[in-house]
Coordinates of all heavy atoms in Angstrom, one line a residue:
M1 N -19.6 1.5 6.3 CA -19.8 0.0 6.5 C -19.4 -0.8 5.3 O -18.8 -1.9 5.3 CB -21.1 -0.3 6.9 CG -22.2 -0.2 5.8 SD -23.2 -1.8 5.5 CE -24.1 -1.3 4.0
G2 N -19.5 -0.2 4.2 CA -19.3 -0.9 2.8 C -17.8 -1.2 2.8 O -17.5 -2.3 2.3
V3 N -16.9 -0.4 3.2 CA -15.6 -0.7 3.2 C -15.2 -1.9 4.0 O -14.5 -2.8 3.5 CB -14.7 0.6 3.6 CG1 -13.2 0.2 3.6 CG2 -14.9 1.7 2.8
D4 N -15.6 -2.0 5.2 CA -15.3 -3.0 6.1 C -15.8 -4.4 5.4 O -15.1 -5.4 5.6 CB -16.1 -3.0 7.6 CG -15.3 -1.8 8.3 OD1 -14.0 -1.5 8.0 OD2 -15.8 -1.3 9.2
R5 N -17.1 -4.3 4.9 CA -17.5 -5.5 4.3 C -16.7 -6.0 3.2 O -16.4 -7.1 3.0 CB -19.0 -5.2 3.9 CG -19.8 -6.5 3.5 CD -21.3 -6.2 3.2 NE -21.2 -5.3 2.1 CZ -21.3 -5.6 1.0 NH1 -21.0 -6.7 0.4 NH2 -21.4 -4.6 0.1
L6 N -16.3 -5.0 2.4 CA -15.5 -5.4 1.2 C -14.2 -6.0 1.7 O -13.7 -7.1 1.1 CB -15.2 -4.2 0.2 CG -16.3 -3.9 -0.7 CD1 -16.1 -2.5 -1.3 CD2 -16.3 -4.9 -1.7
W7 N -13.6 -5.4 2.7 CA -12.3 -5.9 3.3 C -12.5 -7.4 3.7 O -11.6 -8.3 3.4 CB -11.8 -5.2 4.4 CG -11.2 -3.8 3.9 CD1 -11.5 -3.1 2.8 CD2 -10.1 -3.2 4.5 NE1 -10.7 -2.0 2.7 CE2 -9.9 -1.9 3.7 CE3 -9.4 -3.4 5.7 CZ2 -8.9 -1.1 4.1 CZ3 -8.5 -2.4 6.1 CH2 -8.2 -1.2 5.2
M8 N -13.5 -7.6 4.4 CA -13.9 -9.0 4.8 C -13.9 -10.0 3.6 O -13.5 -11.1 3.7 CB -15.2 -9.0 5.6 CG -15.2 -8.2 6.9 SD -13.8 -9.0 8.1 CE -14.9 -10.4 8.6
E9 N -14.5 -9.5 2.6 CA -14.6 -10.5 1.4 C -13.3 -10.5 0.7 O -13.2 -11.5 0.0 CB -15.7 -9.9 0.5 CG -17.1 -9.9 1.0 CD -18.1 -9.3 0.2 OE1 -17.7 -8.6 -0.8 OE2 -19.3 -9.3 0.5
N10 N -12.5 -9.7 1.0 CA -11.2 -9.6 0.0 C -10.2 -10.6 0.5 O -9.5 -11.1 -0.4 CB -10.7 -8.1 0.1 CG -9.9 -7.8 -1.2 OD1 -9.7 -8.7 -2.1 ND2 -9.5 -6.6 -1.3
G11 N -10.1 -10.7 1.8 CA -8.9 -11.6 2.2 C -9.3 -12.5 3.3 O -10.5 -12.5 3.7
E12 N -8.3 -13.3 3.7 CA -8.6 -14.2 5.0 C -8.6 -13.3 6.2 O -7.9 -12.3 6.3 CB -7.4 -15.2 5.0 CG -7.0 -15.8 3.7 CD -5.7 -15.5 3.3 OE1 -4.9 -15.3 4.3 OE2 -5.3 -15.6 2.3
E13 N -9.6 -13.6 7.0 CA -9.9 -13.0 8.3 C -9.9 -11.6 8.3 O -9.3 -10.7 9.2 CB -8.6 -13.5 9.3 CG -8.6 -15.0 9.4 CD -7.3 -15.4 10.1 OE1 -6.4 -14.7 10.5 OE2 -7.1 -16.8 10.1
G14 N -10.4 -11.1 7.3 CA -10.5 -9.5 7.2 C -9.4 -8.7 6.9 O -9.4 -7.6 6.8
S15 N -8.4 -9.3 6.5 CA -7.1 -8.5 6.3 C -7.1 -8.2 4.7 O -7.6 -8.9 3.9 CB -5.9 -9.3 6.6 OG -5.7 -10.5 5.8
M16 N -6.4 -7.0 4.4 CA -6.1 -6.7 3.0 C -4.7 -6.6 2.9 O -4.0 -6.2 3.8 CB -6.7 -5.3 2.8 CG -6.5 -4.7 1.3 SD -7.1 -3.2 1.1 CE -8.8 -3.5 0.6
R17 N -4.3 -7.3 1.8 CA -3.0 -7.3 1.5 C -2.5 -6.5 0.3 O -3.3 -6.2 -0.5 CB -2.5 -8.9 1.2 CG -2.9 -9.7 2.5 CD -2.1 -11.2 2.3 NE -0.8 -11.0 2.3 CZ 0.1 -10.8 3.3 NH1 -0.5 -10.7 4.5 NH2 1.3 -10.8 3.2
L18 N -1.3 -6.0 0.3 CA -0.7 -5.3 -0.7 C -1.1 -6.0 -2.1 O -1.3 -5.3 -3.1 CB 0.8 -5.0 -0.6 CG 1.5 -4.3 -1.6 CD1 1.0 -2.8 -1.6 CD2 3.1 -4.2 -1.3
R19 N -0.8 -7.3 -2.0 CA -0.9 -8.1 -3.4 C -2.5 -7.8 -4.0 O -2.7 -7.9 -5.2 CB -0.9 -9.5 -3.0 CG -1.4 -10.4 -4.0 CD -1.1 -11.9 -3.7 NE -0.6 -12.3 -2.3 CZ -1.1 -13.1 -1.6 NH1 -2.3 -13.6 -1.8 NH2 -0.6 -13.5 -0.5
D20 N -3.4 -7.5 -3.1 CA -4.8 -7.2 -3.6 C -5.0 -5.9 -4.3 O -6.0 -5.6 -4.9 CB -5.8 -7.4 -2.4 CG -5.8 -8.7 -1.7 OD1 -5.6 -9.6 -2.5 OD2 -6.0 -8.7 -0.4
L21 N -4.0 -5.0 -4.1 CA -4.1 -3.6 -4.6 C -3.3 -3.4 -5.9 O -2.9 -2.2 -6.1 CB -3.7 -2.7 -3.5 CG -4.6 -2.7 -2.2 CD1 -3.9 -1.9 -1.1 CD2 -6.0 -2.3 -2.4
N22 N -3.2 -4.4 -6.6 CA -2.5 -4.3 -8.0 C -1.2 -3.6 -7.9 O -0.9 -2.6 -8.5 CB -3.5 -3.5 -8.9 CG -2.9 -3.6 -10.5 OD1 -2.3 -4.6 -10.8 ND2 -3.1 -2.6 -11.3
P23 N -0.3 -4.1 -7.0 CA 1.0 -3.4 -6.7 C 1.9 -3.5 -7.9 O 2.0 -4.5 -8.6 CB 1.5 -4.0 -5.5 CG 0.9 -5.4 -5.6 CD -0.4 -5.3 -6.2
K24 N 2.7 -2.5 -8.1 CA 3.8 -2.5 -9.1 C 5.0 -1.9 -8.4 O 5.0 -0.9 -7.7 CB 3.4 -1.8 -10.4 CG 2.0 -2.0 -11.0 CD 2.4 -2.8 -12.4 CE 1.2 -2.9 -13.1 NZ 0.1 -3.9 -12.7
L25 N 6.2 -2.4 -8.8 CA 7.4 -1.9 -8.3 C 8.3 -1.7 -9.5 O 8.7 -2.6 -10.3 CB 8.1 -2.8 -7.3 CG 9.5 -2.4 -6.7 CD1 9.3 -1.1 -6.0 CD2 10.0 -3.3 -5.8
S26 N 8.6 -0.4 -9.8 CA 9.3 -0.2 -11.1 C 10.8 -0.3 -10.8 O 11.4 -0.4 -9.7 CB 9.1 1.4 -11.4 OG 9.9 2.2 -10.5
D27 N 11.6 -0.3 -12.0 CA 13.0 -0.5 -11.9 C 13.6 0.5 -11.1 O 14.8 0.4 -10.6 CB 13.5 -0.5 -13.4 CG 13.1 -1.6 -14.1 OD1 12.8 -2.6 -13.5 OD2 13.3 -1.6 -15.2
T28 N 13.0 1.8 -11.0 CA 13.6 2.8 -10.3 C 13.2 2.9 -8.8 O 13.6 3.9 -8.0 CB 13.1 4.4 -10.9 OG1 11.8 4.4 -10.9 CG2 13.7 4.4 -12.4
G29 N 12.6 1.9 -8.3 CA 12.3 1.8 -6.9 C 10.9 2.5 -6.5 O 10.7 2.6 -5.4
M30 N 10.2 2.8 -7.5 CA 8.9 3.4 -7.2 C 7.7 2.4 -6.9 O 7.4 1.6 -7.8 CB 8.5 4.5 -8.2 CG 7.2 5.2 -7.9 SD 7.4 6.3 -6.5 CE 8.4 7.5 -7.2
L31 N 7.2 2.3 -5.8 CA 6.1 1.4 -5.4 C 4.8 2.1 -5.7 O 4.6 3.2 -5.4 CB 6.2 1.0 -4.1 CG 5.0 0.1 -3.4 CD1 4.8 -1.2 -4.2 CD2 5.0 0.1 -2.0
R32 N 3.9 1.4 -6.4 CA 2.6 1.9 -6.7 C 1.5 0.9 -6.3 O 1.8 -0.4 -6.6 CB 2.4 2.3 -8.1 CG 3.3 3.3 -8.7 CD 3.0 3.5 -10.2 NE 4.2 4.0 -10.9 CZ 4.2 4.6 -12.0 NH1 3.1 4.6 -12.7 NH2 5.3 5.0 -12.6
F33 N 0.5 1.3 -5.8 CA -0.7 0.5 -5.6 C -2.0 1.3 -5.3 O -1.9 2.5 -5.2 CB -0.3 -0.4 -4.2 CG -0.1 0.4 -3.0 CD1 -1.1 0.9 -2.1 CD2 1.2 0.9 -2.8 CE1 -0.8 1.6 -1.0 CE2 1.4 1.8 -1.7 CZ 0.4 2.1 -0.7
Y34 N -3.0 0.6 -5.4 CA -4.3 1.3 -5.3 C -4.6 1.6 -4.0 O -4.4 0.8 -3.0 CB -5.4 0.5 -5.9 CG -5.5 0.5 -7.4 CD1 -5.5 -0.7 -8.0 CD2 -5.7 1.7 -8.1 CE1 -5.6 -0.6 -9.6 CE2 -5.8 1.7 -9.4 CZ -5.7 0.5 -10.3 OH -5.9 0.6 -11.6
C35 N -5.2 2.8 -3.7 CA -5.6 3.2 -2.5 C -6.5 2.3 -1.7 O -7.5 1.9 -2.2 CB -6.3 4.6 -2.6 SG -6.9 5.2 -1.0
P36 N -6.2 1.7 -0.6 CA -6.9 0.8 0.1 C -8.2 1.4 0.7 O -9.0 0.7 1.1 CB -5.9 0.2 1.3 CG -5.1 1.3 1.4 CD -4.9 2.1 0.2
V37 N -8.4 2.7 0.8 CA -9.6 3.3 1.3 C -10.6 3.7 0.2 O -11.8 3.2 0.2 CB -9.2 4.6 2.1 CG1 -10.6 5.3 2.5 CG2 -8.5 4.2 3.4
C38 N -10.1 4.2 -0.9 CA -11.0 4.7 -1.8 C -11.3 3.7 -2.9 O -12.5 3.6 -3.5 CB -10.4 5.9 -2.7 SG -9.9 7.1 -1.4
T39 N -10.4 2.7 -3.2 CA -10.6 1.7 -4.3 C -11.8 0.9 -3.9 O -12.7 0.7 -4.7 CB -9.4 0.9 -4.5 OG1 -8.5 1.7 -4.8 CG2 -9.5 -0.1 -5.5
P40 N -12.0 0.3 -2.6 CA -13.2 -0.4 -2.4 C -14.5 0.4 -2.6 O -15.7 -0.3 -2.7 CB -13.1 -1.1 -0.9 CG -11.6 -0.8 -0.7 CD -11.1 0.4 -1.5
K41 N -14.5 1.6 -2.5 CA -15.6 2.5 -2.6 C -15.8 2.8 -4.2 O -16.7 3.6 -4.3 CB -15.5 3.7 -1.9 CG -15.3 3.6 -0.3 CD -15.5 4.9 0.4 CE -14.2 5.1 1.4 NZ -14.3 6.5 1.9
G42 N -15.2 2.2 -5.0 CA -15.3 2.6 -6.4 C -14.6 3.9 -6.9 O -14.8 4.3 -8.1
D43 N -13.7 4.4 -6.1 CA -13.0 5.7 -6.5 C -11.5 5.2 -6.5 O -10.7 5.8 -5.9 CB -13.2 6.7 -5.5 CG -12.6 8.1 -6.0 OD1 -12.3 8.2 -7.0 OD2 -12.5 8.9 -5.0
A44 N -11.2 4.4 -7.5 CA -9.8 3.8 -7.5 C -8.8 4.9 -7.8 O -9.0 5.7 -8.9 CB -9.7 2.7 -8.4
H45 N -7.7 5.1 -7.1 CA -6.7 6.0 -7.5 C -5.2 5.3 -6.9 O -5.3 4.7 -6.0 CB -6.8 7.4 -7.1 CG -6.8 7.5 -5.6 ND1 -5.5 7.8 -5.0 CD2 -7.7 7.5 -4.6 CE1 -5.7 8.0 -3.6 NE2 -7.2 7.7 -3.5
G46 N -4.2 5.6 -7.6 CA -2.9 5.1 -7.2 C -2.2 5.9 -6.0 O -2.5 7.1 -5.8
I47 N -1.4 5.3 -5.2 CA -0.6 5.8 -4.3 C 0.9 5.4 -4.7 O 1.1 4.2 -5.0 CB -0.9 5.2 -2.9 CG1 -2.2 5.8 -2.4 CG2 0.2 5.7 -1.9 CD1 -2.7 5.3 -1.1
R48 N 1.7 6.2 -4.6 CA 3.1 6.1 -5.0 C 4.1 6.2 -3.9 O 4.0 7.2 -3.0 CB 3.5 7.1 -6.1 CG 2.8 6.9 -7.5 CD 2.8 8.2 -8.2 NE 4.1 8.7 -8.5 CZ 4.8 8.5 -9.7 NH1 4.2 7.7 -10.7 NH2 6.0 8.8 -9.9
V49 N 4.9 5.3 -3.6 CA 5.7 5.5 -2.5 C 7.2 5.1 -2.9 O 7.4 4.0 -3.5 CB 5.4 4.3 -1.4 CG1 6.4 4.5 -0.1 CG2 4.0 4.6 -0.9
P50 N 8.2 6.0 -2.9 CA 9.5 5.7 -3.2 C 10.2 5.0 -2.3 O 10.4 5.3 -1.1 CB 10.2 7.1 -3.5 CG 9.4 8.0 -2.6 CD 8.0 7.4 -2.5
L51 N 10.8 3.8 -2.7 CA 11.5 2.9 -1.8 C 13.0 3.2 -1.8 O 13.5 3.3 -3.0 CB 11.3 1.5 -2.1 CG 9.8 1.0 -2.2 CD1 9.8 -0.6 -2.3 CD2 9.0 1.5 -1.0
A52 N 13.7 3.4 -0.6 CA 15.0 3.8 -0.6 C 15.9 2.9 -1.5 O 15.6 1.6 -1.4 CB 15.5 3.8 0.7
P53 N 16.8 3.3 -2.3 CA 17.4 4.6 -2.4 C 16.5 5.5 -3.2 O 17.0 6.8 -3.3 CB 18.7 4.5 -2.9 CG 18.6 3.4 -3.8 CD 17.7 2.4 -3.2
A54 N 15.5 5.2 -3.8 CA 14.7 6.1 -4.6 C 14.1 7.2 -3.7 O 13.9 7.0 -2.5 CB 13.6 5.4 -5.2
V55 N 13.9 8.4 -4.2 CA 13.3 9.5 -3.4 C 12.3 10.1 -4.3 O 12.3 10.1 -5.5 CB 14.3 10.6 -3.1 CG1 15.4 10.1 -2.1 CG2 15.0 11.2 -4.2
D56 N 11.2 10.8 -3.7 CA 10.2 11.5 -4.5 C 10.8 13.0 -4.6 O 11.8 13.3 -4.2 CB 8.8 11.4 -3.7 CG 8.8 12.1 -2.4 OD1 9.8 12.9 -2.0 OD2 7.9 11.8 -1.7
R57 N 9.9 13.8 -5.0 CA 10.3 15.2 -5.4 C 10.5 16.0 -4.2 O 11.1 17.0 -4.2 CB 9.3 15.9 -6.3 CG 7.9 16.2 -5.7 CD 7.0 16.7 -6.8 NE 5.9 17.2 -6.3 CZ 4.7 16.4 -6.1 NH1 4.7 15.2 -6.7 NH2 3.7 17.0 -5.5
H58 N 10.1 15.5 -3.1 CA 10.4 16.2 -1.8 C 11.6 15.6 -1.1 O 11.9 15.9 0.0 CB 9.1 16.1 -0.9 CG 8.0 16.6 -1.5 ND1 7.7 17.8 -1.7 CD2 6.8 15.8 -1.7 CE1 6.5 18.0 -2.3 NE2 5.8 16.8 -2.2
G59 N 12.3 14.7 -1.7 CA 13.5 14.1 -1.2 C 13.2 13.0 -0.1 O 14.0 12.5 0.5
Q60 N 11.8 12.6 -0.1 CA 11.4 11.7 0.8 C 11.6 10.3 0.3 O 11.4 10.0 -0.8 CB 9.9 11.9 1.2 CG 9.5 11.3 2.5 CD 8.2 11.8 2.9 OE1 7.4 12.5 2.1 NE2 7.7 11.6 4.1
S61 N 11.8 9.3 1.3 CA 12.1 8.0 0.9 C 11.7 7.0 2.0 O 11.7 7.4 3.3 CB 13.5 7.8 0.7 OG 13.8 6.5 0.2
W62 N 11.3 5.8 1.8 CA 10.9 4.8 2.7 C 11.8 3.7 2.7 O 12.3 3.2 1.8 CB 9.4 4.3 2.4 CG 8.4 5.1 3.0 CD1 7.6 4.9 4.0 CD2 7.9 6.3 2.5 NE1 6.7 5.7 4.2 CE2 6.7 6.9 3.1 CE3 8.2 7.1 1.3 CZ2 6.1 7.9 3.0 CZ3 7.5 8.4 1.0 CH2 6.5 8.7 2.0
Q63 N 12.2 3.3 4.1 CA 12.9 2.2 4.2 C 12.1 1.0 4.1 O 10.9 0.9 4.3 CB 13.6 2.2 5.8 CG 14.4 3.4 6.0 CD 15.6 3.5 5.0 OE1 16.4 2.5 4.7 NE2 15.8 4.7 4.4
H64 N 12.7 -0.1 3.8 CA 11.8 -1.3 3.4 C 12.7 -2.6 3.7 O 13.8 -2.6 3.6 CB 11.5 -1.3 1.9 CG 12.5 -1.3 0.9 ND1 13.1 -2.2 0.3 CD2 13.3 0.0 0.5 CE1 14.0 -1.8 -0.5 NE2 14.2 -0.5 -0.4
T65 N 11.9 -3.6 4.1 CA 12.5 -5.0 4.3 C 11.5 -6.0 3.8 O 10.4 -5.6 3.3 CB 12.7 -5.2 5.8 OG1 11.5 -5.2 6.6 CG2 13.7 -4.2 6.5
G66 N 12.0 -7.2 3.6 CA 11.1 -8.2 3.0 C 11.1 -8.1 1.4 O 11.9 -7.3 0.9
E67 N 10.2 -8.9 0.8 CA 10.2 -9.1 -0.6 C 9.0 -8.5 -1.1 O 7.9 -8.8 -0.5 CB 10.4 -10.6 -1.0 CG 11.7 -11.1 -0.6 CD 12.8 -10.6 -1.5 OE1 12.6 -10.3 -2.8 OE2 13.9 -10.5 -0.9
F68 N 8.9 -7.8 -2.2 CA 7.7 -7.2 -2.9 C 7.1 -8.4 -3.6 O 7.7 -9.3 -4.3 CB 8.1 -6.2 -3.8 CG 7.1 -5.9 -4.7 CD1 6.1 -4.9 -4.4 CD2 6.9 -6.4 -6.0 CE1 5.1 -4.5 -5.2 CE2 5.9 -6.0 -6.8 CZ 5.0 -5.1 -6.4
P69 N 5.6 -8.5 -3.5 CA 4.9 -7.9 -2.7 C 4.5 -8.4 -1.2 O 4.0 -7.9 -0.3 CB 3.6 -7.7 -3.4 CG 3.6 -9.0 -4.2 CD 5.1 -9.4 -4.3
D70 N 4.9 -9.8 -1.2 CA 4.1 -10.6 -0.2 C 4.6 -10.4 1.3 O 4.0 -10.6 2.3 CB 4.1 -12.1 -0.5 CG 3.1 -12.4 -1.6 OD1 2.1 -11.6 -1.7 OD2 3.3 -13.4 -2.3
T71 N 5.9 -10.0 1.4 CA 6.5 -9.7 2.8 C 7.1 -8.3 3.0 O 7.8 -8.1 3.9 CB 7.6 -10.9 3.0 OG1 8.6 -10.7 2.1 CG2 7.0 -12.2 3.0
L72 N 6.6 -7.5 2.1 CA 7.3 -6.1 2.1 C 6.7 -5.6 3.5 O 5.6 -5.4 3.9 CB 6.8 -5.4 0.9 CG 7.4 -4.0 0.8 CD1 8.9 -4.1 0.4 CD2 6.6 -3.3 -0.3
T73 N 7.7 -4.7 4.1 CA 7.4 -3.9 5.3 C 8.1 -2.6 5.0 O 9.2 -2.6 4.6 CB 8.0 -4.5 6.6 OG1 7.3 -5.8 6.8 CG2 7.8 -3.5 7.7
L74 N 7.2 -1.4 5.2 CA 7.8 -0.1 5.0 C 7.8 0.7 6.3 O 7.1 0.5 7.2 CB 6.8 0.7 4.0 CG 6.6 0.1 2.6 CD1 5.8 1.1 1.8 CD2 7.9 -0.2 1.9
T75 N 8.8 1.5 6.3 CA 9.1 2.3 7.5 C 9.3 3.7 6.9 O 10.3 3.9 6.1 CB 10.2 2.0 8.4 OG1 10.0 0.6 8.7 CG2 10.3 2.7 9.7
P76 N 8.7 4.9 7.4 CA 7.7 4.9 8.4 C 6.3 4.6 7.7 O 6.2 4.0 6.7 CB 7.7 6.4 8.8 CG 8.2 7.1 7.5 CD 9.1 6.2 6.9
S77 N 5.2 5.0 8.3 CA 3.9 4.8 7.8 C 3.7 5.7 6.6 O 4.5 6.6 6.2 CB 2.8 5.3 8.8 OG 3.0 6.6 9.1
V78 N 2.6 5.5 5.8 CA 2.3 6.1 4.5 C 1.2 7.0 4.8 O 0.1 6.5 5.3 CB 2.1 5.1 3.4 CG1 1.8 5.9 2.1 CG2 3.3 4.2 3.1
D79 N 1.2 8.2 4.5 CA 0.1 9.2 4.7 C -0.2 9.8 3.2 O 0.5 10.6 2.7 CB 0.5 10.3 5.6 CG -0.6 11.3 5.9 OD1 -1.7 11.1 5.4 OD2 -0.5 12.1 6.7
A80 N -1.2 9.2 2.7 CA -1.7 9.6 1.4 C -2.9 10.5 1.5 O -3.5 10.9 0.6 CB -2.2 8.4 0.6
G81 N -3.2 11.0 2.8 CA -4.3 11.8 3.0 C -5.6 11.1 3.3 O -6.0 11.0 4.3
C82 N -6.1 10.5 2.3 CA -7.4 9.6 2.4 C -6.9 8.4 3.2 O -7.9 7.9 4.0 CB -7.9 9.3 1.1 SG -6.8 8.8 -0.1
W83 N -5.8 7.9 3.0 CA -5.4 6.7 3.8 C -4.1 7.0 4.5 O -3.1 7.5 3.9 CB -5.2 5.4 2.8 CG -4.7 4.3 3.4 CD1 -5.2 3.5 4.5 CD2 -3.2 3.7 3.4 NE1 -4.3 2.5 4.9 CE2 -3.3 2.6 4.2 CE3 -2.2 3.9 2.5 CZ2 -2.1 1.9 4.3 CZ3 -1.1 3.2 2.7 CH2 -1.0 2.1 3.6
H84 N -4.0 6.7 5.7 CA -2.8 6.8 6.5 C -2.6 5.6 7.2 O -3.5 5.1 8.1 CB -2.9 8.0 7.5 CG -1.6 8.2 8.2 ND1 -1.3 9.2 9.2 CD2 -0.3 7.7 8.0 CE1 -0.1 9.1 9.6 NE2 0.5 8.2 8.9
G85 N -1.7 4.7 6.8 CA -1.5 3.4 7.4 C -0.1 2.9 7.2 O 0.9 3.6 6.8
H86 N 0.1 1.6 7.5 CA 1.3 0.9 7.4 C 1.2 -0.3 6.5 O 0.1 -0.8 6.3 CB 1.7 0.3 8.8 CG 2.0 1.4 9.8 ND1 3.3 1.9 10.1 CD2 1.1 2.1 10.6 CE1 3.0 2.7 11.0 NE2 1.9 2.9 11.3
I87 N 2.3 -0.7 5.9 CA 2.5 -1.9 5.2 C 3.3 -2.6 6.0 O 4.6 -2.4 6.2 CB 2.9 -1.7 3.8 CG1 1.9 -0.8 2.9 CG2 3.1 -3.1 3.0 CD1 2.2 -0.5 1.5
V88 N 2.9 -3.8 6.5 CA 3.6 -4.7 7.4 C 3.6 -6.1 6.9 O 2.5 -6.7 6.9 CB 3.1 -4.5 8.9 CG1 3.9 -5.6 9.8 CG2 3.1 -3.2 9.4
N89 N 4.6 -6.7 6.5 CA 4.8 -8.1 5.9 C 3.7 -8.3 4.9 O 3.1 -9.3 4.9 CB 4.5 -9.1 7.2 CG 5.0 -10.4 6.9 OD1 6.0 -10.6 6.1 ND2 4.3 -11.5 7.5
G90 N 3.7 -7.3 4.0 CA 2.7 -7.4 2.9 C 1.3 -7.1 3.1 O 0.4 -7.3 2.4
E91 N 0.9 -6.8 4.4 CA -0.5 -6.6 4.8 C -0.7 -5.2 5.0 O 0.3 -4.2 5.4 CB -0.7 -7.2 6.1 CG -2.2 -7.2 6.6 CD -2.4 -8.0 7.7 OE1 -1.6 -8.7 8.2 OE2 -3.7 -7.9 8.3
I92 N -1.9 -4.5 4.6 CA -2.2 -3.1 4.8 C -2.8 -3.1 6.2 O -3.7 -3.8 6.6 CB -3.4 -2.9 3.7 CG1 -2.8 -3.1 2.3 CG2 -3.8 -1.5 3.9 CD1 -1.6 -2.2 1.9
V93 N -2.2 -2.2 6.9 CA -2.7 -2.0 8.3 C -3.0 -0.4 8.4 O -2.1 0.4 8.3 CB -1.5 -2.3 9.3 CG1 -2.0 -2.2 10.7 CG2 -1.0 -3.8 9.2
S94 N -4.3 -0.2 8.7 CA -4.7 1.1 8.9 C -4.7 1.5 10.4 O -4.8 0.7 11.3 CB -6.1 1.3 8.2 OG -6.1 1.0 6.9
Ligands
ZN1 ZN1 -7.7 7.3 -1.5

């Protein structure tokens, strides 16, 4: 219940946005942001997502449209284990 309540306090109409998770986009195309599940519980850790043409060590890469961070959309979904969801138009969608 704590997570839902924090999300409600965090943004308009209960939404959480990428912008709220201290996002960074490196020159090499690596997107980093705080985990939207664990961070509100006080266990902040980062999630890294390589945006095409960048790839991670598994050769995986995410397609992206829009502008970082406010209108960014990623394809496919992001599975970080503790959080599996989408980033759509800069919004965190679980
Ligand atoms: Zn997490």
Side-chain angles (χ1 to χ4, degrees):
M1 74 121 184
V3 175
D4 287 340
R5 191 172 57 77
L6 280 167
W7 283 29
M8 292 296 287
E9 289 170 357
N10 208 354
E12 312 121 20
E13 298 166 9
S15 67
M16 178 179 273
R17 300 195 60 81
L18 179 61
R19 163 178 7 123
D20 299 324
L21 297 169
N22 192 29
K24 305 251 193 285
L25 182 58
S26 78
D27 291 343
T28 56
M30 185 65 73
L31 172 67
R32 300 178 201 198
F33 54 97
Y34 279 124
C35 176
V37 170
C38 302
T39 302
K41 297 191 235 176
D43 183 22
H45 67 90
I47 293 174
R48 293 156 59 98
V49 180
L51 305 189
V55 294
D56 65 15
R57 63 181 192 272
H58 306 295
Q60 200 171 10
S61 184
W62 273 258
Q63 299 302 313
H64 54 98
T65 59
E67 293 294 322
F68 169 84
D70 284 334
T71 61
L72 187 68
T73 296
L74 299 188
T75 308
S77 63
V78 178
D79 186 354
C82 46
W83 175 67
H84 187 186
H86 298 260
I87 296 175
V88 180
N89 199 28
E91 187 171 354
I92 303 295
V93 182
S94 296

